[in-house]
PDB file of all heavy atoms in Angstrom:
ATOM      1  N   PHE A 148      -1.741  31.874  10.011  1.00 85.00           N
ATOM      2  CA  PHE A 148      -1.364  31.552   8.632  1.00 85.00           C
ATOM      3  C   PHE A 148      -1.803  30.141   8.264  1.00 85.00           C
ATOM      4  O   PHE A 148      -2.304  29.897   7.158  1.00 85.00           O
ATOM      5  CB  PHE A 148       0.145  31.694   8.477  1.00 85.00           C
ATOM      6  CG  PHE A 148       0.649  31.370   7.099  1.00 85.00           C
ATOM      7  CD1 PHE A 148       0.412  32.215   6.033  1.00 85.00           C
ATOM      8  CD2 PHE A 148       1.373  30.204   6.863  1.00 85.00           C
ATOM      9  CE1 PHE A 148       0.888  31.917   4.757  1.00 85.00           C
ATOM     10  CE2 PHE A 148       1.846  29.887   5.602  1.00 85.00           C
ATOM     11  CZ  PHE A 148       1.604  30.752   4.550  1.00 85.00           C
ATOM     12  N   TYR A 149      -1.642  29.220   9.206  1.00 86.00           N
ATOM     13  CA  TYR A 149      -2.025  27.824   8.982  1.00 86.00           C
ATOM     14  C   TYR A 149      -3.517  27.708   8.665  1.00 86.00           C
ATOM     15  O   TYR A 149      -3.915  27.077   7.686  1.00 86.00           O
ATOM     16  CB  TYR A 149      -1.687  27.016  10.234  1.00 86.00           C
ATOM     17  CG  TYR A 149      -2.014  25.539  10.148  1.00 86.00           C
ATOM     18  CD1 TYR A 149      -1.101  24.648   9.608  1.00 86.00           C
ATOM     19  CD2 TYR A 149      -3.229  25.035  10.612  1.00 86.00           C
ATOM     20  CE1 TYR A 149      -1.389  23.287   9.525  1.00 86.00           C
ATOM     21  CE2 TYR A 149      -3.517  23.680  10.533  1.00 86.00           C
ATOM     22  CZ  TYR A 149      -2.590  22.822   9.992  1.00 86.00           C
ATOM     23  OH  TYR A 149      -2.884  21.484   9.909  1.00 86.00           O
ATOM     24  N   LYS A 150      -4.342  28.342   9.494  1.00 81.00           N
ATOM     25  CA  LYS A 150      -5.783  28.229   9.269  1.00 81.00           C
ATOM     26  C   LYS A 150      -6.217  28.983   8.020  1.00 81.00           C
ATOM     27  O   LYS A 150      -7.129  28.554   7.299  1.00 81.00           O
ATOM     28  CB  LYS A 150      -6.541  28.744  10.490  1.00 81.00           C
ATOM     29  CG  LYS A 150      -6.953  27.631  11.441  1.00 81.00           C
ATOM     30  CD  LYS A 150      -8.109  28.032  12.320  1.00 81.00           C
ATOM     31  CE  LYS A 150      -8.696  26.814  13.013  1.00 81.00           C
ATOM     32  NZ  LYS A 150      -9.798  27.169  13.916  1.00 81.00           N
ATOM     33  N   LEU A 151      -5.569  30.109   7.743  1.00 81.00           N
ATOM     34  CA  LEU A 151      -5.915  30.871   6.552  1.00 81.00           C
ATOM     35  C   LEU A 151      -5.696  30.025   5.305  1.00 81.00           C
ATOM     36  O   LEU A 151      -6.544  29.998   4.401  1.00 81.00           O
ATOM     37  CB  LEU A 151      -5.053  32.136   6.490  1.00 81.00           C
ATOM     38  CG  LEU A 151      -5.492  33.190   5.472  1.00 81.00           C
ATOM     39  CD1 LEU A 151      -6.776  33.859   5.916  1.00 81.00           C
ATOM     40  CD2 LEU A 151      -4.399  34.225   5.276  1.00 81.00           C
ATOM     41  N   GLN A 152      -4.584  29.308   5.236  1.00 80.00           N
ATOM     42  CA  GLN A 152      -4.307  28.453   4.083  1.00 80.00           C
ATOM     43  C   GLN A 152      -5.285  27.282   4.016  1.00 80.00           C
ATOM     44  O   GLN A 152      -5.756  26.911   2.943  1.00 80.00           O
ATOM     45  CB  GLN A 152      -2.873  27.924   4.151  1.00 80.00           C
ATOM     46  CG  GLN A 152      -1.809  28.960   3.871  1.00 80.00           C
ATOM     47  CD  GLN A 152      -1.966  29.611   2.524  1.00 80.00           C
ATOM     48  OE1 GLN A 152      -2.035  30.838   2.435  1.00 80.00           O
ATOM     49  NE2 GLN A 152      -2.044  28.823   1.476  1.00 80.00           N
ATOM     50  N   ARG A 153      -5.601  26.705   5.160  1.00 78.00           N
ATOM     51  CA  ARG A 153      -6.521  25.567   5.201  1.00 78.00           C
ATOM     52  C   ARG A 153      -7.923  25.953   4.738  1.00 78.00           C
ATOM     53  O   ARG A 153      -8.608  25.160   4.095  1.00 78.00           O
ATOM     54  CB  ARG A 153      -6.592  25.009   6.623  1.00 78.00           C
ATOM     55  CG  ARG A 153      -5.388  24.173   7.028  1.00 78.00           C
ATOM     56  CD  ARG A 153      -5.401  22.840   6.312  1.00 78.00           C
ATOM     57  NE  ARG A 153      -4.381  21.934   6.801  1.00 78.00           N
ATOM     58  CZ  ARG A 153      -4.249  20.683   6.383  1.00 78.00           C
ATOM     59  NH1 ARG A 153      -5.047  20.205   5.458  1.00 78.00           N
ATOM     60  NH2 ARG A 153      -3.301  19.905   6.872  1.00 78.00           N
ATOM     61  N   TYR A 154      -8.357  27.161   5.025  1.00 75.00           N
ATOM     62  CA  TYR A 154      -9.724  27.584   4.729  1.00 75.00           C
ATOM     63  C   TYR A 154      -9.848  28.345   3.409  1.00 75.00           C
ATOM     64  O   TYR A 154     -10.939  28.680   2.983  1.00 75.00           O
ATOM     65  CB  TYR A 154     -10.259  28.469   5.847  1.00 75.00           C
ATOM     66  CG  TYR A 154     -10.492  27.745   7.154  1.00 75.00           C
ATOM     67  CD1 TYR A 154     -10.561  28.445   8.355  1.00 75.00           C
ATOM     68  CD2 TYR A 154     -10.635  26.363   7.196  1.00 75.00           C
ATOM     69  CE1 TYR A 154     -10.773  27.782   9.566  1.00 75.00           C
ATOM     70  CE2 TYR A 154     -10.837  25.694   8.393  1.00 75.00           C
ATOM     71  CZ  TYR A 154     -10.905  26.407   9.567  1.00 75.00           C
ATOM     72  OH  TYR A 154     -11.118  25.756  10.757  1.00 75.00           O
ATOM     73  N   SER A 155      -8.714  28.655   2.759  1.00 68.00           N
ATOM     74  CA  SER A 155      -8.771  29.480   1.564  1.00 68.00           C
ATOM     75  C   SER A 155      -9.152  28.661   0.337  1.00 68.00           C
ATOM     76  O   SER A 155      -9.008  27.436   0.307  1.00 68.00           O
ATOM     77  CB  SER A 155      -7.416  30.162   1.326  1.00 68.00           C
ATOM     78  OG  SER A 155      -6.421  29.194   1.048  1.00 68.00           O
ATOM     79  N   TYR A 156      -9.627  29.368  -0.684  1.00 54.00           N
ATOM     80  CA  TYR A 156      -9.995  28.730  -1.940  1.00 54.00           C
ATOM     81  C   TYR A 156      -8.740  28.437  -2.752  1.00 54.00           C
ATOM     82  O   TYR A 156      -7.924  29.317  -2.992  1.00 54.00           O
ATOM     83  CB  TYR A 156     -10.931  29.639  -2.739  1.00 54.00           C
ATOM     84  CG  TYR A 156     -11.263  29.105  -4.115  1.00 54.00           C
ATOM     85  CD1 TYR A 156     -12.125  28.014  -4.267  1.00 54.00           C
ATOM     86  CD2 TYR A 156     -10.690  29.665  -5.257  1.00 54.00           C
ATOM     87  CE1 TYR A 156     -12.418  27.508  -5.525  1.00 54.00           C
ATOM     88  CE2 TYR A 156     -10.979  29.167  -6.517  1.00 54.00           C
ATOM     89  CZ  TYR A 156     -11.855  28.085  -6.639  1.00 54.00           C
ATOM     90  OH  TYR A 156     -12.132  27.584  -7.888  1.00 54.00           O
ATOM     91  N   ASN A 157      -8.559  27.193  -3.149  1.00 48.00           N
ATOM     92  CA  ASN A 157      -7.468  26.803  -4.027  1.00 48.00           C
ATOM     93  C   ASN A 157      -6.101  27.121  -3.432  1.00 48.00           C
ATOM     94  O   ASN A 157      -5.146  27.387  -4.160  1.00 48.00           O
ATOM     95  CB  ASN A 157      -7.615  27.500  -5.390  1.00 48.00           C
ATOM     96  CG  ASN A 157      -7.060  26.648  -6.520  1.00 48.00           C
ATOM     97  OD1 ASN A 157      -6.900  25.456  -6.376  1.00 48.00           O
ATOM     98  ND2 ASN A 157      -6.790  27.278  -7.633  1.00 48.00           N
ATOM     99  N   SER A 158      -6.008  27.119  -2.086  1.00 44.00           N
ATOM    100  CA  SER A 158      -4.747  27.348  -1.364  1.00 44.00           C
ATOM    101  C   SER A 158      -4.144  28.720  -1.632  1.00 44.00           C
ATOM    102  O   SER A 158      -2.940  28.919  -1.487  1.00 44.00           O
ATOM    103  CB  SER A 158      -3.705  26.279  -1.744  1.00 44.00           C
ATOM    104  OG  SER A 158      -4.244  24.989  -1.641  1.00 44.00           O
ATOM    105  N   SER A 159      -4.984  29.688  -2.032  1.00 44.00           N
ATOM    106  CA  SER A 159      -4.467  31.004  -2.384  1.00 44.00           C
ATOM    107  C   SER A 159      -4.195  31.877  -1.178  1.00 44.00           C
ATOM    108  O   SER A 159      -3.350  32.773  -1.219  1.00 44.00           O
ATOM    109  CB  SER A 159      -5.481  31.719  -3.289  1.00 44.00           C
ATOM    110  OG  SER A 159      -6.696  31.941  -2.573  1.00 44.00           O
ATOM    111  N   GLY A 160      -4.932  31.659  -0.071  1.00 42.00           N
ATOM    112  CA  GLY A 160      -4.762  32.477   1.114  1.00 42.00           C
ATOM    113  C   GLY A 160      -5.444  33.823   1.041  1.00 42.00           C
ATOM    114  O   GLY A 160      -5.401  34.597   1.999  1.00 42.00           O
ATOM    115  N   ASP A 161      -6.107  34.140  -0.096  1.00 46.00           N
ATOM    116  CA  ASP A 161      -6.724  35.458  -0.214  1.00 46.00           C
ATOM    117  C   ASP A 161      -8.225  35.418  -0.483  1.00 46.00           C
ATOM    118  O   ASP A 161      -8.857  36.452  -0.632  1.00 46.00           O
ATOM    119  CB  ASP A 161      -6.030  36.283  -1.306  1.00 46.00           C
ATOM    120  CG  ASP A 161      -6.028  35.575  -2.657  1.00 46.00           C
ATOM    121  OD1 ASP A 161      -6.770  34.598  -2.820  1.00 46.00           O
ATOM    122  OD2 ASP A 161      -5.276  36.015  -3.543  1.00 46.00           O
ATOM    123  N   SER A 162      -8.812  34.232  -0.542  1.00 44.00           N
ATOM    124  CA  SER A 162     -10.262  34.143  -0.694  1.00 44.00           C
ATOM    125  C   SER A 162     -10.782  32.924   0.048  1.00 44.00           C
ATOM    126  O   SER A 162     -10.109  31.890   0.127  1.00 44.00           O
ATOM    127  CB  SER A 162     -10.650  34.061  -2.181  1.00 44.00           C
ATOM    128  OG  SER A 162     -10.051  32.941  -2.797  1.00 44.00           O
ATOM    129  N   TYR A 163     -11.981  33.042   0.588  1.00 40.00           N
ATOM    130  CA  TYR A 163     -12.552  32.007   1.446  1.00 40.00           C
ATOM    131  C   TYR A 163     -13.085  30.840   0.625  1.00 40.00           C
ATOM    132  O   TYR A 163     -13.815  31.027  -0.344  1.00 40.00           O
ATOM    133  CB  TYR A 163     -13.668  32.631   2.284  1.00 40.00           C
ATOM    134  CG  TYR A 163     -14.357  31.682   3.233  1.00 40.00           C
ATOM    135  CD1 TYR A 163     -13.656  31.074   4.261  1.00 40.00           C
ATOM    136  CD2 TYR A 163     -15.722  31.401   3.104  1.00 40.00           C
ATOM    137  CE1 TYR A 163     -14.276  30.209   5.140  1.00 40.00           C
ATOM    138  CE2 TYR A 163     -16.352  30.543   3.988  1.00 40.00           C
ATOM    139  CZ  TYR A 163     -15.628  29.953   5.002  1.00 40.00           C
ATOM    140  OH  TYR A 163     -16.242  29.103   5.865  1.00 40.00           O
ATOM    141  N   GLY A 164     -12.699  29.632   0.995  1.00 44.00           N
ATOM    142  CA  GLY A 164     -13.106  28.460   0.232  1.00 44.00           C
ATOM    143  C   GLY A 164     -14.416  27.847   0.670  1.00 44.00           C
ATOM    144  O   GLY A 164     -15.087  27.183  -0.106  1.00 44.00           O
ATOM    145  N   GLY A 165     -14.777  28.027   1.939  1.00 50.00           N
ATOM    146  CA  GLY A 165     -16.060  27.539   2.425  1.00 50.00           C
ATOM    147  C   GLY A 165     -16.095  26.077   2.779  1.00 50.00           C
ATOM    148  O   GLY A 165     -17.129  25.568   3.201  1.00 50.00           O
ATOM    149  N   GLY A 166     -14.993  25.365   2.635  1.00 53.00           N
ATOM    150  CA  GLY A 166     -14.987  23.944   2.967  1.00 53.00           C
ATOM    151  C   GLY A 166     -14.847  23.727   4.468  1.00 53.00           C
ATOM    152  O   GLY A 166     -14.365  24.584   5.206  1.00 53.00           O
ATOM    153  N   SER A 167     -15.283  22.567   4.925  1.00 56.00           N
ATOM    154  CA  SER A 167     -15.168  22.246   6.353  1.00 56.00           C
ATOM    155  C   SER A 167     -13.818  21.603   6.627  1.00 56.00           C
ATOM    156  O   SER A 167     -13.230  20.968   5.763  1.00 56.00           O
ATOM    157  CB  SER A 167     -16.293  21.300   6.779  1.00 56.00           C
ATOM    158  OG  SER A 167     -16.220  20.101   6.043  1.00 56.00           O
ATOM    159  N   CYS A 168     -13.314  21.792   7.846  1.00 58.00           N
ATOM    160  CA  CYS A 168     -12.029  21.232   8.239  1.00 58.00           C
ATOM    161  C   CYS A 168     -12.152  20.562   9.602  1.00 58.00           C
ATOM    162  O   CYS A 168     -12.869  21.058  10.479  1.00 58.00           O
ATOM    163  CB  CYS A 168     -10.960  22.327   8.304  1.00 58.00           C
ATOM    164  SG  CYS A 168     -10.558  23.058   6.711  1.00 58.00           S
ATOM    165  N   ASP A 169     -11.471  19.455   9.758  1.00 63.00           N
ATOM    166  CA  ASP A 169     -11.453  18.743  11.026  1.00 63.00           C
ATOM    167  C   ASP A 169     -10.193  19.144  11.785  1.00 63.00           C
ATOM    168  O   ASP A 169      -9.082  18.758  11.412  1.00 63.00           O
ATOM    169  CB  ASP A 169     -11.453  17.234  10.763  1.00 63.00           C
ATOM    170  CG  ASP A 169     -11.486  16.420  12.051  1.00 63.00           C
ATOM    171  OD1 ASP A 169     -11.453  17.021  13.140  1.00 63.00           O
ATOM    172  OD2 ASP A 169     -11.526  15.184  11.950  1.00 63.00           O
ATOM    173  N   ILE A 170     -10.355  19.943  12.839  1.00 64.00           N
ATOM    174  CA  ILE A 170      -9.198  20.464  13.561  1.00 64.00           C
ATOM    175  C   ILE A 170      -8.386  19.337  14.201  1.00 64.00           C
ATOM    176  O   ILE A 170      -7.189  19.462  14.408  1.00 64.00           O
ATOM    177  CB  ILE A 170      -9.634  21.504  14.611  1.00 64.00           C
ATOM    178  CG1 ILE A 170      -8.416  22.349  15.029  1.00 64.00           C
ATOM    179  CG2 ILE A 170     -10.280  20.851  15.828  1.00 64.00           C
ATOM    180  CD1 ILE A 170      -8.778  23.599  15.769  1.00 64.00           C
ATOM    181  N   ARG A 171      -9.019  18.196  14.491  1.00 69.00           N
ATOM    182  CA  ARG A 171      -8.283  17.067  15.055  1.00 69.00           C
ATOM    183  C   ARG A 171      -7.269  16.538  14.054  1.00 69.00           C
ATOM    184  O   ARG A 171      -6.196  16.066  14.427  1.00 69.00           O
ATOM    185  CB  ARG A 171      -9.260  15.960  15.466  1.00 69.00           C
ATOM    186  CG  ARG A 171     -10.154  16.332  16.644  1.00 69.00           C
ATOM    187  CD  ARG A 171     -11.267  15.322  16.816  1.00 69.00           C
ATOM    188  NE  ARG A 171     -12.125  15.272  15.640  1.00 69.00           N
ATOM    189  CZ  ARG A 171     -13.204  14.486  15.532  1.00 69.00           C
ATOM    190  NH1 ARG A 171     -13.532  13.671  16.515  1.00 69.00           N
ATOM    191  NH2 ARG A 171     -13.937  14.501  14.446  1.00 69.00           N
ATOM    192  N   ARG A 172      -7.614  16.625  12.768  1.00 73.00           N
ATOM    193  CA  ARG A 172      -6.691  16.217  11.718  1.00 73.00           C
ATOM    194  C   ARG A 172      -5.499  17.170  11.677  1.00 73.00           C
ATOM    195  O   ARG A 172      -4.370  16.768  11.416  1.00 73.00           O
ATOM    196  CB  ARG A 172      -7.404  16.191  10.360  1.00 73.00           C
ATOM    197  CG  ARG A 172      -6.508  15.795   9.192  1.00 73.00           C
ATOM    198  CD  ARG A 172      -6.012  14.379   9.335  1.00 73.00           C
ATOM    199  NE  ARG A 172      -4.980  14.085   8.345  1.00 73.00           N
ATOM    200  CZ  ARG A 172      -4.315  12.946   8.288  1.00 73.00           C
ATOM    201  NH1 ARG A 172      -4.578  11.990   9.158  1.00 73.00           N
ATOM    202  NH2 ARG A 172      -3.399  12.762   7.365  1.00 73.00           N
ATOM    203  N   PHE A 173      -5.765  18.466  11.940  1.00 77.00           N
ATOM    204  CA  PHE A 173      -4.682  19.446  11.975  1.00 77.00           C
ATOM    205  C   PHE A 173      -3.625  19.022  12.990  1.00 77.00           C
ATOM    206  O   PHE A 173      -2.435  19.078  12.737  1.00 77.00           O
ATOM    207  CB  PHE A 173      -5.214  20.819  12.371  1.00 77.00           C
ATOM    208  CG  PHE A 173      -6.126  21.466  11.369  1.00 77.00           C
ATOM    209  CD1 PHE A 173      -6.692  22.699  11.639  1.00 77.00           C
ATOM    210  CD2 PHE A 173      -6.412  20.865  10.151  1.00 77.00           C
ATOM    211  CE1 PHE A 173      -7.530  23.312  10.726  1.00 77.00           C
ATOM    212  CE2 PHE A 173      -7.257  21.471   9.239  1.00 77.00           C
ATOM    213  CZ  PHE A 173      -7.816  22.704   9.528  1.00 77.00           C
ATOM    214  N   PHE A 174      -4.085  18.632  14.188  1.00 81.00           N
ATOM    215  CA  PHE A 174      -3.162  18.269  15.262  1.00 81.00           C
ATOM    216  C   PHE A 174      -2.285  17.083  14.847  1.00 81.00           C
ATOM    217  O   PHE A 174      -1.086  17.067  15.090  1.00 81.00           O
ATOM    218  CB  PHE A 174      -3.931  17.926  16.533  1.00 81.00           C
ATOM    219  CG  PHE A 174      -4.750  19.074  17.082  1.00 81.00           C
ATOM    220  CD1 PHE A 174      -5.757  18.848  18.000  1.00 81.00           C
ATOM    221  CD2 PHE A 174      -4.511  20.381  16.677  1.00 81.00           C
ATOM    222  CE1 PHE A 174      -6.512  19.896  18.513  1.00 81.00           C
ATOM    223  CE2 PHE A 174      -5.254  21.449  17.176  1.00 81.00           C
ATOM    224  CZ  PHE A 174      -6.263  21.197  18.094  1.00 81.00           C
ATOM    225  N   HIS A 175      -2.912  16.099  14.196  1.00 83.00           N
ATOM    226  CA  HIS A 175      -2.166  14.928  13.733  1.00 83.00           C
ATOM    227  C   HIS A 175      -1.103  15.340  12.726  1.00 83.00           C
ATOM    228  O   HIS A 175       0.050  14.884  12.785  1.00 83.00           O
ATOM    229  CB  HIS A 175      -3.119  13.911  13.101  1.00 83.00           C
ATOM    230  CG  HIS A 175      -2.418  12.740  12.486  1.00 83.00           C
ATOM    231  ND1 HIS A 175      -1.988  12.756  11.166  1.00 83.00           N
ATOM    232  CD2 HIS A 175      -2.055  11.525  12.995  1.00 83.00           C
ATOM    233  CE1 HIS A 175      -1.405  11.606  10.889  1.00 83.00           C
ATOM    234  NE2 HIS A 175      -1.425  10.845  11.973  1.00 83.00           N
ATOM    235  N   ASP A 176      -1.465  16.227  11.796  1.00 86.00           N
ATOM    236  CA  ASP A 176      -0.527  16.678  10.777  1.00 86.00           C
ATOM    237  C   ASP A 176       0.668  17.395  11.394  1.00 86.00           C
ATOM    238  O   ASP A 176       1.809  17.214  10.965  1.00 86.00           O
ATOM    239  CB  ASP A 176      -1.228  17.621   9.788  1.00 86.00           C
ATOM    240  CG  ASP A 176      -2.255  16.903   8.924  1.00 86.00           C
ATOM    241  OD1 ASP A 176      -2.220  15.661   8.872  1.00 86.00           O
ATOM    242  OD2 ASP A 176      -3.097  17.588   8.323  1.00 86.00           O
ATOM    243  N   ILE A 177       0.404  18.229  12.403  1.00 89.00           N
ATOM    244  CA  ILE A 177       1.486  18.977  13.039  1.00 89.00           C
ATOM    245  C   ILE A 177       2.459  18.044  13.738  1.00 89.00           C
ATOM    246  O   ILE A 177       3.680  18.188  13.628  1.00 89.00           O
ATOM    247  CB  ILE A 177       0.908  20.020  14.032  1.00 89.00           C
ATOM    248  CG1 ILE A 177       0.216  21.131  13.244  1.00 89.00           C
ATOM    249  CG2 ILE A 177       2.012  20.597  14.929  1.00 89.00           C
ATOM    250  CD1 ILE A 177      -0.595  22.064  14.087  1.00 89.00           C
ATOM    251  N   TRP A 178       1.938  17.059  14.462  1.00 89.00           N
ATOM    252  CA  TRP A 178       2.822  16.108  15.144  1.00 89.00           C
ATOM    253  C   TRP A 178       3.625  15.299  14.141  1.00 89.00           C
ATOM    254  O   TRP A 178       4.807  15.013  14.350  1.00 89.00           O
ATOM    255  CB  TRP A 178       2.009  15.180  16.054  1.00 89.00           C
ATOM    256  CG  TRP A 178       1.496  15.859  17.273  1.00 89.00           C
ATOM    257  CD1 TRP A 178       0.206  16.057  17.623  1.00 89.00           C
ATOM    258  CD2 TRP A 178       2.281  16.469  18.319  1.00 89.00           C
ATOM    259  NE1 TRP A 178       0.132  16.753  18.804  1.00 89.00           N
ATOM    260  CE2 TRP A 178       1.379  17.012  19.255  1.00 89.00           C
ATOM    261  CE3 TRP A 178       3.650  16.608  18.531  1.00 89.00           C
ATOM    262  CZ2 TRP A 178       1.811  17.687  20.392  1.00 89.00           C
ATOM    263  CZ3 TRP A 178       4.086  17.276  19.666  1.00 89.00           C
ATOM    264  CH2 TRP A 178       3.171  17.800  20.581  1.00 89.00           C
TER     265      TRP A 178
END
Side-chain angles (χ1 to χ4, degrees):
F148 179 72
Y149 181 87
K150 264 202 167 178
L151 193 71
Q152 288 302 125
R153 284 288 188 176
Y154 291 159
S155 65
Y156 175 73
N157 211 19
S158 310
S159 64
D161 56 14
S162 59
Y163 180 63
S167 60
C168 294
D169 182 357
I170 198 165
R171 292 169 299 181
R172 179 64 190 176
F173 293 178
F174 298 163
H175 175 271
D176 291 344
I177 290 169
W178 288 117

